[in-house]
């Protein structure tokens, strides 16, 4: 009986010793990750610090005290990322604003019908509603490149446009018949940014594009693309890119300003460590 009891006590002791050893190893591992994250922040490797802190949470969930202490490091890393990102966004915003202002001088705004959004066209383009077979590239007030097509005096069931450069070409997506406006035997339709996705880039890569095809369910019409139209297409696409770049830089700045405010709020409300309180 004494021997059996001794064996049980010995086994229990070994288990407790093993658990204590595992606990020490986990604590050591968690402490090492916290130290590495702290060093990463000192070296301005804020993204690396976040990765280390994520590893700490995933690998050592039981080390709640160390994880709690690491909250300040995470907030500091977020603050660093936000500050660096705001600086980058400021540079991008300044550059895109200069580009946008340069293009502003080459365009004019056209007020559309009541209830519809206006748009921008190059100063050399006709402002009146299209009265001939062809296209008019435009830039929306929100900065998107789109194209209006018109077939004058003929019904072809207009549903797509295609640009041709030698043996290569690019087409828009087909649009629904309900999108086509029919007036006195003519047809016109707007091809939205989603429907001409890739067209702007393609035209930039094919400056020799010489033919436009207005495609329909009942036939098609070929239109010559002259130098003036090529320039207008390229300018509208470039102006759109400048507007979008400025808008994206502004959105990025707003995003990281919110991130910075959140990080600093967390730092202000987290309890101080013993070292900070001294």
């Amino acid at each position: 009986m004494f021997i059996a009891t001794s064996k049980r006590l010995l086994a229990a002791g070994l288990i407790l010793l093993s658990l204590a050893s595992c606990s020490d190893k986990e604590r050591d591992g968690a402490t090492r990750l916290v130290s590495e994250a702290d060093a990463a922040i000192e070296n301005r490797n804020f993204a690396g610090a976040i990765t280390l802190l994520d590893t700490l949470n995933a690998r050592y969930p039981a080390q709640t005290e160390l994880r709690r202490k690491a909250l300040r490091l995470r907030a500091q890393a977020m603050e660093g990322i936000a500050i660096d990102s705001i600086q980058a966004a400021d540079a991008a915003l300044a550059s895109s604003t200069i580009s946008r202002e340069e293009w502003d001088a080459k365009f004019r705004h056209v007020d559309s019908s009541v209830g519809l959004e206006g748009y921008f066209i190059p100063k050399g383009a006709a402002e009146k509603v299209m009265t001939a077979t062809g296209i008019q590239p435009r830039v929306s007030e929100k900065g998107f490149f789109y194209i209006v097509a018109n077939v004058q005096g003929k019904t072809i069931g207009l549903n797509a446009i295609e640009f041709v450069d030698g043996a290569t070409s690019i087409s828009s997506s087909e649009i629904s018949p309900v999108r086509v406006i029919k007036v006195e035997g003519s047809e016109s339709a707007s091809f939205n940014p989603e429907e001409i996705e890739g067209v702007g880039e393609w035209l930039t890569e094919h400056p020799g594009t010489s033919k436009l095809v207005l495609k329909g369910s009942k036939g098609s019409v070929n239109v010559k693309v002259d130098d003036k139209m090529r320039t207008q297409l390229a300018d509208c696409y470039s102006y759109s890119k400048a507007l979008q770049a400025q808008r994206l830089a502004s959105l990025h700045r707003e995003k990281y300003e919110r991130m910075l405010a959140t990080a600093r709020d967390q730092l202000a409300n987290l309890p101080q460590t013993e070292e900070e309180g001294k």
Side-chain angles (χ1 to χ4, degrees), residues 18 49-50 79-80 101 129 152 198 202 212 259-260:
S18 176
I50 293 292
E79 181 184 41
E101 289 173 349
V129 176
Q152 187 69 22
W202 189 90
L212 164 72
M259 182 177 177
L260 179 60

Side-chain angles (χ1 to χ4, degrees), residues 117-120 136-141 144-148 190-193 196 236:
E117 185 184 79
Y119 54 89
F120 298 94
Q136 184 181 66
R138 298 176 179 176
V139 178
S140 72
E141 290 182 343
F144 294 106
F145 170 58
Y146 70 104
I147 294 175
V148 176
S190 291
F191 291 85
N192 296 331
I196 59 170
C236 283

Side-chain angles (χ1 to χ4, degrees), residues 161-171 199 202-203 206-215 221-225 230 233:
I161 55 177
E162 178 182 28
F163 292 95
V164 182
D165 180 20
T168 62
S169 65
I170 187 169
S171 295
V199 169
W202 189 90
L203 290 169
H206 296 81
T209 299
S210 58
K211 186 171 75 171
L212 164 72
V213 183
L214 303 177
K215 304 168 71 174
V221 178
N222 294 338
V223 179
K224 180 182 178 181
V225 178
R230 279 192 289 269
L233 285 162

Side-chain angles (χ1 to χ4, degrees), residues 92-158:
L93 186 58
S95 176
S96 61
T97 298
I98 291 172
S99 177
R100 182 255 172 94
E101 289 173 349
E102 290 175 348
W103 281 109
D104 280 344
K106 300 177 182 179
F107 279 76
R108 69 172 180 271
H109 183 267
V110 177
D111 293 324
S112 191
S113 303
V114 176
L116 296 177
E117 185 184 79
Y119 54 89
F120 298 94
I121 57 174
K123 286 185 176 179
E127 186 173 320
K128 294 182 179 179
V129 176
M130 297 176 62
T131 57
T133 297
I135 60 170
Q136 184 181 66
R138 298 176 179 176
V139 178
S140 72
E141 290 182 343
K142 294 181 179 178
F144 294 106
F145 170 58
Y146 70 104
I147 294 175
V148 176
N150 186 69
V151 179
Q152 187 69 22
K154 189 174 183 179
T155 301
I156 64 170
L158 178 65

